Amino acid sequence: MFSKILIANRGEIAVRIIRACKEMGISTVAVFSEADREALHVSLADESICIGPAPAKDSYLSLSAVLSAAVVSGAGAIHPGYGLLSENARFAELCASCGITFIGPSPEVLARMGDKDEARRTMQIAGVPVIPGSGVINTLEEALAEAGKIGYPLLIKARAGGGGRGIRLVEAPEEFERAFLNASAEAKSAFGDGKMYLEKYLTPVKHVEMQLLCDSHGNAVCLGERECSIQRKNQKLIEESPSPAVDGTLRASLMEVCLKAVKAVNYVNAGTIEFLLDQSGNFYFMEMNTRLQVEHPVTEMVTGIDLVKWQIRVAAGLPLTFTQSDTALRGHAIECRINAENPSLGFRPSCGRVTLLHVPGGPWVRLDTALYQDYFIPPFYDSMIAKLIVHAKTREEALRKMQAALCELVIEGVDHNGELQMEILSDEAFLSGGYTTDFLAKRG
Ligand code: ADP
Ligand code: ADP
Ligand code: MG
């Protein structure tokens, strides 16, 4: 087992990982930008190293700054969290060449699944149903021809996309050219890769994803599904497990397909396969996220398995000590993402000092956050400031618990989406469980 781990991230996920390390008796190294001197992850870690100026590209995304910090501090492994360097194959490769374990899958798998076009082809070969669409497109002429074959509405997607960016919906042929050039330019500037592909736009659909955990000894388990259809701008807002739309039979077929998929790519560590589920119960592969996911706590609550600790154990070469038949989903868990943003101003991000903070508590209520009273939320990073997670025996009980917890949560000094979350939680379509990814857009 590692004696020291560097956490190459910030915010709630850095805090989450430090906690797991502490419980495992592993010492921790935090890295931070100049804007994050006062951040909670810095004070919780055993050691901390400043790795550069505020912009993420000069600090948290700097391969050399993060690696140097790991080498200097003598860390045996790096946990990348989510976002930032977590899916960067080059970074994972460099870690290996420095003799440092990257806590995640191999660089080869990161590269293969990070290219969403190659991931689609790989999954198709492994027998996983994928969304009808094209391969990577090189010219506008080719794109128009492919679009004609797929039919409208369709989505233009970036091969290197992530975080809901680089996606364009095209409803009619006359909109295509503009959208295509636009999306490609956006992808080029966001991901350094303007290559695009097309997918049939499926609607109405649910976003249902499967959590996988695989060790380096050939053991793989699927830890059930998460329902993530409440989204704004293709980014998740509320997640629950189990999904109200997945019964035992559907779950069994999703699991079977996912276990085939991870075997096909020799997957090691935690990973998530995202699907779209249509009204007839057909499911289609969308992408694989080769890392810990923001919404992993709902799976932890219903399985009792600490995913971060298992990521660390698996990276250290330990085998899983449970099998598929030992893992059952117990009760129901829901997560609400609390973002510092104003929903009535087009989700405009908010930053500033937290002048008052009151955190909800009670049995089976969990708040993952890096906030504290008087903390200054800097303007440079992601707007998600907390995740409120509850667990109960039934979905109804979990919903009531979430409503009570949200009522209790007080964050003053910045705008946040707590009220919108409350409204969603009392919406008929949400309560019915039949909601689809167009839920927020339809609400207006
Ligand atoms: P999840 O399904 O775990 O919510 P997301 O795809 O929304 O995953 O991404 C998690 C985090 O990583 C978000 O903060 C998102 O903004 C960021 N992220 C994901 N992919 C990228 C990317 N390619 N470039 C920059 N940030 C990304
Ligand atoms: P990202 O890498 O940014 O997470 P995804 O490919 O996972 O991108 O898509 C993000 C979201 O966009 C999905 O959760 C879903 O709501 C929507 N979406 C993606 N592909 C399709 C599709 N073919 N049809 C309908 N909705 C889609
Ligand atoms: Mg996705």
Side-chain angles (χ1 to χ4, degrees):
M1 183 46 67
F2 313 109
S3 54
K4 192 188 270 192
I5 292 178
L6 180 137
I7 295 94
N9 216 300
R10 63 180 303 283
E12 67 85 20
I13 197 62
V15 170
R16 163 74 186 89
I17 297 163
I18 292 169
R19 286 180 178 143
C21 291
K22 284 199 170 166
E23 291 175 31
M24 294 172 85
I26 299 168
S27 69
T28 51
V29 184
V31 291
F32 62 98
S33 72
E34 283 163 10
D36 272 345
R37 275 185 199 285
E38 309 294 323
L40 187 62
H41 74 283
V42 176
S43 49
L44 289 184
D46 299 304
E47 292 167 56
S48 60
I49 301 178
C50 182
I51 51 166
K57 67 172 181 19
D58 303 321
S59 47
Y60 299 107
L61 285 172
S62 161
L63 307 186
S64 54
V66 175
L67 271 170
S68 315
V71 171
V72 166
S73 61
I78 296 183
H79 197 306
Y82 54 71
L84 299 175
L85 298 176
S86 61
E87 295 174 274
N88 189 313
R90 176 82 188 124
F91 179 66
E93 221 169 60
L94 286 173
C95 286
S97 64
C98 295
I100 294 168
T101 303
F102 174 84
I103 302 178
S106 67
E108 295 71 34
V109 169
L110 287 171
R112 197 156 168 200
M113 295 294 120
D115 177 334
K116 293 171 88 171
D117 167 60
E118 195 177 340
R120 280 164 55 82
R121 279 183 281 125
T122 305
M123 289 300 152
Q124 225 160 359
I125 294 166
V128 180
V130 306
I131 301 172
S134 74
V136 158
I137 276 159
N138 293 303
T139 64
L140 182 61
E141 292 66 47
E142 204 185 309
L144 277 164
E146 285 293 339
K149 276 192 251 166
I150 294 165
Y152 295 83
L154 56 79
L155 285 185
I156 303 173
K157 285 189 170 182
R159 156 172 89 172
R165 288 184 300 159
I167 300 179
R168 288 286 189 294
L169 171 62
V170 186
E171 315 243 24
E174 56 273 18
E175 299 164 18
F176 187 85
E177 179 170 347
R178 215 186 119 120
F180 183 79
L181 298 174
N182 251 322
S184 176
E186 181 186 302
K188 177 94 187 132
S189 85
F191 312 115
D193 177 354
K195 283 275 191 290
M196 310 303 284
Y197 65 100
L198 308 181
E199 260 178 22
K200 191 172 178 56
Y201 182 65
L202 305 177
T203 188
V205 283
K206 283 177 152 288
H207 173 124
V208 171
E209 60 185 31
M210 307 300 287
Q211 177 67 56
L212 282 306
L213 183 62
C214 313
D215 66 19
S216 54
H217 305 270
N219 305 303
V221 291
C222 179
L223 300 174
E225 77 278 3
R226 291 183 291 260
E227 156 84 58
C228 313
S229 303
I230 301 292
Q231 303 182 350
R232 61 112 174 73
K233 301 181 184 169
N234 297 321
Q235 279 189 341
K236 301 158 189 166
L237 266 191
I238 300 184
E239 300 96 347
E240 46 182 328
S241 184
S243 162
V246 174
D247 62 14
T249 316
L250 178 55
R251 182 173 303 118
S253 12
L254 279 162
M255 283 186 172
E256 193 192 319
V257 155
C258 289
L259 290 170
K260 264 202 298 203
V262 290
K263 285 257 147 56
V265 294
N266 273 323
Y267 198 88
V268 176
N269 217 284
T272 295
I273 305 186
E274 297 187 336
F275 294 94
L276 289 180
L277 177 67
D278 73 14
Q279 307 293 90
S280 324
N282 302 307
F283 55 84
Y284 303 91
F285 171 82
M286 191 158 46
E287 65 161 339
M288 178 160 195
N289 292 326
T290 49
R291 54 170 163 86
L292 184 67
Q293 206 120 356
V294 173
E295 57 274 22
H296 74 277
V298 293
T299 298
E300 298 187 322
M301 300 296 247
V302 292
T303 59
I305 287 166
D306 186 317
L307 279 166
V308 175
K309 285 187 188 167
W310 275 107
Q311 283 193 292
I312 295 170
R313 291 188 191 114
V314 161
L318 298 176
L320 297 179
T321 54
F322 50 90
T323 63
Q324 192 64 57
S325 53
D326 302 327
T327 59
L329 306 185
R330 283 209 180 75
H332 197 94
I334 306 176
E335 169 180 283
C336 286
R337 299 192 189 192
I338 307 300
N339 297 331
E341 64 190 13
N342 190 324
S344 51
L345 295 177
F347 297 101
R348 189 175 75 186
S350 175
C351 60
R353 196 164 302 282
V354 175
T355 52
L356 184 64
L357 178 69
H358 172 77
V359 164
W364 297 290
V365 175
R366 164 175 172 184
L367 190 81
D368 280 19
T369 185
L371 292 185
Y372 55 84
Q373 174 97 33
D374 294 329
Y375 172 65
F376 188 92
I377 299 172
F380 306 102
Y381 311 107
D382 202 86
S383 62
M384 195 186 73
I385 50 172
K387 305 185 310 204
L388 180 55
I389 306 113
V390 300
H391 183 224
K393 262 215 175 85
T394 63
R395 184 169 189 259
E396 290 64 37
E397 260 182 84
L399 286 168
R400 280 200 297 274
K401 197 182 273 293
M402 181 58 90
Q403 285 168 334
L406 266 175
C407 277
E408 219 187 294
L409 175 68
V410 178
I411 305 169
E412 282 180 13
V414 293
D415 293 333
H416 67 81
N417 62 350
E419 252 172 58
L420 171 65
Q421 294 283 17
M422 274 306 272
E423 287 167 25
I424 297 173
L425 288 176
S426 52
D427 187 291
E428 276 308 312
F430 181 75
L431 294 174
S432 74
Y435 60 90
T436 44
T437 55
D438 52 1
F439 174 89
L440 270 191
K442 271 203 314 222
R443 234 176 125 260

